[in-house]
Amino acid sequence: MQILVDYIKHNNPEKVAVRCGEVQLSYSQLNTLVEERAKQFAANKHKAVVFRCTQDEQFVINYLAIHRAGAVAVPLEKDIPEERYAEIVASLHNEQFPADIADILFTTGTTGTQKGVMISHRAIIADGENLIQAQGFTASTHFIISGPLNHIGSLSKLYPVFMQGGSLTILQGMKDINAFFTALEQADGHVATFLVPANIRMLLALSRKQLKENAHKIEFVETGAAAIFKNDMQQLSDTLPGTRLYNTYASTETGIIATYDFQQGECVEGCLGKAMKNSSFYISPEGTIVCQGKTLMSGYVGNPQLTAKVLHDNRLFTTDKATVDAYGQLHLQGRSDDVINTGGFKVNPLEVENVAMQIPAIADCVCIPAQHPVMGIVPKLLVVLAPHAEFSKRAIAKALAQQLESYKVPLIYEQVTSIQRTYNGKINRRAYVQS
């Protein structure tokens, strides 16, 4: 069975594998530390090893060492409450897993209860091959990771980097923009990074000039996890004209499925490109995405009923609404769970939000269902204003009406100081439904 840690032995031994702050490990040093650390997990073969995401070189050592020991890696949020941490440890304590299970990754739970997703070694290698072929990872790729390593968006970048013998720099998030640019300046080779849309928007708003000055060093940028607005796509394309810019369709359950370079094509919101090497997809009669291939999860831990509901016949049935164009490219239209039913019509909140974000006065927004005293359930728009902008419900509604059908234009508007989002920039719609 091919596993990721096997690739650590076969690369240039003196080349930088991992850099984090002042710490720098060559492939030879990383391999030695992994082999030594694996001895600590020898008694955990086929069992879960739960640990916190420290977002540094120690995470990488632990993650690979757990695999080397034949155990299952279960990385959790660094600041997860002790009670929840203990609950997960207890729930997995007596479980014995098949030899091919590598990881259990817990979803963010924005639309339901948090679930433990089992990922196989086969899926990890297939994800790595998908990214290598579709996005061009090579031995000269130096990847900057700023997102949490206990989630698929950033964790999946370890796969192609190590499989190709590249290098990676790990940051403690994007709160310190200077740290990002320092990493960019220090990186050897062709720099690449993964940025959620919220971080892209932040860089464009606060450091666009500095980003443009470093454009020659950046070979490609991947975004995903949440929808990126068309305005942000266009601004990023203008700022990094020679950089490949990928919008990717992936999830913990599906693995890495499709990607689209909007620098080479048009800035089309929701376009996620064609299926990658080890994956395929089609649209169900209900209009949702069904994924196939080697990257799919093995199931939900401790929940065979839910697993059987979404995964069978090597097909993963998602709730993501989408279409496929004449070129075989996937176009995401939001989750079926998020659709707002109003007066017999269905409103996709993503469509409303995309149009709203083109209004100069709006810095951020979310469209949610709300109860109207006369009309029943209607779209409601919560907005964060841009600096020095004035809140005018009439002006916002008028601007939206120029691009949306009348039933899609929200009837209720509210100014807020921020939009609730998850670690990866996804709108936490569940929080608004519950409130």
Side-chain angles (χ1 to χ4, degrees), residues 69-379:
V72 179
V74 189
L76 302 179
E77 304 284 351
K78 182 179 181 180
D79 58 354
I80 186 172
E82 287 293 340
E83 184 177 347
R84 177 58 178 154
Y85 183 92
E87 182 183 300
I88 291 174
V89 170
S91 70
L92 299 174
H93 179 69
N94 295 319
E95 292 281 347
Q96 193 80 3
F97 295 93
D100 67 326
I101 299 299
D103 298 344
I104 296 174
L105 303 181
F106 280 82
T107 61
T108 52
T110 58
T111 57
T113 305
Q114 207 178 25
K115 301 178 287 288
V117 179
M118 295 184 288
I119 310 296
S120 68
H121 289 286
R122 175 178 182 255
I124 285 175
I125 299 304
D127 280 329
E129 290 175 347
N130 275 359
L131 288 165
I132 289 167
Q133 184 185 67
Q135 296 183 349
F137 282 78
T138 68
S140 63
T141 298
H142 192 124
F143 205 95
I144 298 175
I145 292 177
S146 59
L149 284 163
N150 57 305
H151 291 289
I152 192 70
S154 293
L155 181 61
S156 63
K157 304 311 174 291
L158 269 62
Y159 314 159
V161 168
F162 289 148
M163 289 169 71
Q164 292 292 83
S167 304
L168 62 87
T169 293
I170 302 173
L171 301 179
Q172 301 287 324
M174 282 291 287
K175 290 183 178 179
D176 185 356
I177 296 180
N178 290 330
F180 173 78
F181 284 105
T182 297
L184 188 58
E185 292 165 5
Q186 293 178 342
D188 304 314
H190 302 129
V191 179
T193 191
F194 174 84
L195 297 170
V196 297
N199 287 340
I200 289 174
R201 192 176 307 118
M202 178 182 69
L203 284 171
L204 291 172
L206 303 178
S207 305
R208 186 172 182 180
K209 181 180 178 182
Q210 195 172 0
L211 192 62
K212 195 175 186 70
E213 290 171 351
N214 285 276
H216 64 285
K217 291 203 69 174
I218 307 175
E219 183 174 24
F220 68 89
V221 175
E222 183 191 42
T223 189
I228 181 170
F229 298 117
K230 186 174 182 177
N231 277 2
D232 293 341
M233 296 171 77
Q234 291 175 329
Q235 285 190 55
L236 190 62
S237 293
D238 294 340
T239 305
L240 304 175
T243 300
R244 303 195 303 276
L245 303 174
Y246 295 104
N247 193 16
T248 298
Y249 180 68
S251 72
T252 315
E253 288 91 340
T254 65
I256 318 298
I257 299 295
T259 198
Y260 171 68
D261 182 357
F262 58 88
Q263 185 69 275
Q264 300 302 316
E266 298 179 32
C267 292
V268 180
E269 53 201 20
C271 184
L272 298 162
K274 298 181 179 180
M276 297 177 175
K277 174 183 177 181
N278 294 309
S279 306
S280 63
F281 55 77
Y282 66 90
I283 307 302
S284 72
E286 294 74 33
T288 55
I289 304 171
V290 181
C291 297
Q292 296 175 287
K294 299 178 182 179
T295 67
L296 304 184
M297 71 170 184
S298 297
Y300 294 115
V301 64
N303 200 333
Q305 294 81 14
L306 182 59
T307 299
K309 183 178 178 181
V310 301
L311 178 64
H312 47 83
D313 302 322
N314 194 35
R315 294 180 295 172
L316 194 294
F317 293 79
T318 77
T319 58
D320 295 326
K321 301 282 285 185
T323 60
V324 177
D325 65 23
Y327 301 100
Q329 297 184 129
L330 189 66
H331 292 258
L332 194 64
Q333 297 178 320
R335 294 176 62 94
S336 58
D337 298 343
D338 298 334
V339 171
I340 301 171
N341 293 297
T342 177
F345 295 99
K346 294 183 182 296
V347 177
N348 178 2
L350 279 178
E351 183 180 3
V352 178
E353 292 156 7
N354 280 325
V355 175
M357 286 301 295
Q358 298 175 35
I359 301 173
I362 296 179
D364 202 0
C365 68
V366 58
C367 181
I368 62 175
Q371 185 70 42
H372 189 279
V374 177
M375 305 298 293
I377 298 297
V378 299

Side-chain angles (χ1 to χ4, degrees), residues 6-23:
D6 289 336
Y7 287 89
I8 303 302
K9 290 185 175 181
H10 304 301
N11 292 296
N12 182 347
E14 301 312 313
K15 183 175 181 178
V16 174
V18 182
R19 182 181 291 158
C20 183
E22 299 299 318
V23 178

